[in-house]
Each structure stands twice: as C-alpha cells, then as structure tokens.
Amino acid sequence: MASDVELDEAAPKPPAPEDPATDAAALEAPAADEIVLVQFPPVWGRNFSPFTLKLETWLRLARVPYTVRFQRNPALSPKGKLPFIIDGGRRVGDSGLIIEHLKRSRLIDPDAWLDGRQLAESLALQRTFENHLYHALVYARWIDPEGWASLKQVVSATFPAPADRLIGPLLRRRMNRQLRSHGLGRHSAREIYAMAREDLAAASILLGGNRFFMGSHTSTIDAVAYGFLANILLVPMETELRRIADEFPNLRRFCEQMDLGLERASLRAEVNAPHTAPGA
C-alpha cells in the first residue's frame, strides 16, 4: 500500500446493520483474516464518538477492510472502553494501540512519508486533541446546560423508559466526576472554553492553508483531527465549543472536505468494486 494515501482513495464506509444492538455471541468467531470493529451505534446518522470516528477514518484511509458491529456495552472490550477490534481471535482495545497493532500486523504505515519534525508535530497535536480538547468536548456535551439539552434527548432515545430518566443523570454525574478527576472540570466554563480556543487555534495554525495537516497527503493525524473536529462542527448540537471552532474557517473546511471525500470514495467503491467493500 502506498504510504501517501490520498483522501479520494479511501476505503469505503461499510453500511450499518439493520439492528444496531450486538450481543456477545455475535462477536466471538470472525474469520481468521477479518477485522471486526466494535463501536457505539451512530447518533444523528454519524459516528458520535471522537475515538471511534478517528479509528474508522484511519481504517478507511489506510484501506484496511473491516466489518462494523455496534455495541453499547464497553465491558466486552479488553480495555473496558469502546472502540475495540477483533482481529482473528484476538481483541485489541484503545484506538491508538489498535492502529499500532494494524501497522505491524498488516505492514502498513500511512505516516511513512513524514519526516521527523512532522512526526513530532503530529504526535503533539494528537495529544492536544485526545488528552485536552476531548475533555472540553465532554464538558460541552454533558455538563454545559446548552449541550446537555440536546444530548439528553439522545440518551432518552437510546434507553427505554423509564430507565432513560435514571440513566441520563447517572451518566452525567459520572462524566462530571471524570472531568474533576482529570482537572479540567475544576475550572469555570469561561476558563474551559478559553483553553479549548487555544487548542483549536493551535490546530488552525498548523493546518494553515493545507488540504491536510501535514501537507498534500493524508496521515494518521488527519484521522485524529477529523474524529474530534467533526464531532464539534458537523453534529447538530449548538454549543459554545462549536461557536469557538467556527472562528477558524480552515478547520471547518478541513472537516467538510474530509466528509465529502470519504463519502465520494464510499460511493465510487460501491459502484466500481462492490466485492471489495467491507460489509456489516
């Protein structure tokens, strides 16, 4: 596989199964060479988790065939979190560790064309997205009353009554504890969003006028950035974090180009080579 995979060469997005619920038995026996991606069901027709969207985007950019199985219970994962993959008979958790596993096992590296400085910049930006901006996104969705007004409707639609009235507040309290434990949740909303603006400004400067973060070709950091930025800018939730992200037009342009390019690649693959498209 060429290391400088273009966006319009991405592997196709697999169709969602009719029933998004998955029981444990359905995950037990994939084919020896089959990768099963286990992730949350979509919300508003989109992959609503930045880490699962990151991983699914990477699989498509790296042209790794896979099958999607939806699951709401992260206890099946070796790390206790979603996403995870089943590669043959082995379960691998954590999106970053999954990518490293697939690089080794499939002998692919979409980052092989990067020089040392680009690799360092990619890693620093990835840590910014995953270890800092992520927590601002959690705050905007779960804690800020504006975001929670939209998210609680999703929770209510996900779980049957009357459990929905209990699960939503329970999850919200859990997220609040996690944010306080991390440290960001101890700040005021004004302080949290100021920090998020700095994260997004740094990403905007690094992207500049490029099509992708490291230049004219895709690399892992584009999958990471898209996973997080699309979950801020391309979901129908009006939040302060989204308004801040809209201050940086090149970040929205990047998301929309990625979104359109991945969709076009999916449609073209389905028409031209349906047998290569991973099925759900």
Side-chain angles (χ1 to χ4, degrees), residues 131-210:
N131 296 338
H132 198 268
L133 185 64
Y134 167 71
H135 297 285
L137 175 58
V138 170
Y139 178 87
R141 285 181 172 181
W142 288 92
I143 310 303
D144 190 317
E146 183 182 28
W148 175 242
S150 296
L151 189 59
K152 69 180 179 182
Q153 298 177 19
V154 174
V155 174
S156 296
T158 302
F159 298 96
D164 61 321
R165 293 195 293 272
L166 299 174
I167 291 176
L170 176 65
L171 291 175
R172 194 181 189 206
R173 288 194 297 271
R174 181 182 298 174
M175 293 298 183
N176 191 39
R177 288 196 300 270
Q178 290 179 3
L179 288 176
R180 288 189 62 81
S181 176
H182 170 267
L184 186 134
R186 299 174 185 271
H187 302 307
S188 68
R190 184 176 182 180
E191 291 167 335
I192 291 170
Y193 288 129
M195 295 176 187
R197 180 178 279 107
E198 292 174 342
D199 292 342
L200 292 165
S204 176
I205 290 170
L206 287 174
L207 178 61
N210 293 331

Side-chain angles (χ1 to χ4, degrees), residues 32-84:
D33 59 347
E34 179 185 19
I35 292 175
V36 175
L37 171 60
V38 185
Q39 60 184 15
F40 291 107
V43 175
W44 292 314
R46 301 193 66 89
N47 195 322
F48 198 60
S49 163
F51 290 100
T52 55
L53 181 55
K54 158 199 166 181
L55 178 57
E56 187 167 15
T57 301
W58 187 90
L59 288 167
R60 295 166 66 191
L61 294 179
R63 302 185 65 82
V64 177
Y66 63 101
T67 298
V68 169
R69 293 289 181 263
F70 293 136
Q71 179 57 251
R72 296 185 180 92
N73 181 10
L76 295 172
S77 168
K79 299 289 184 179
K81 292 185 176 182
L82 296 176
F84 71 95

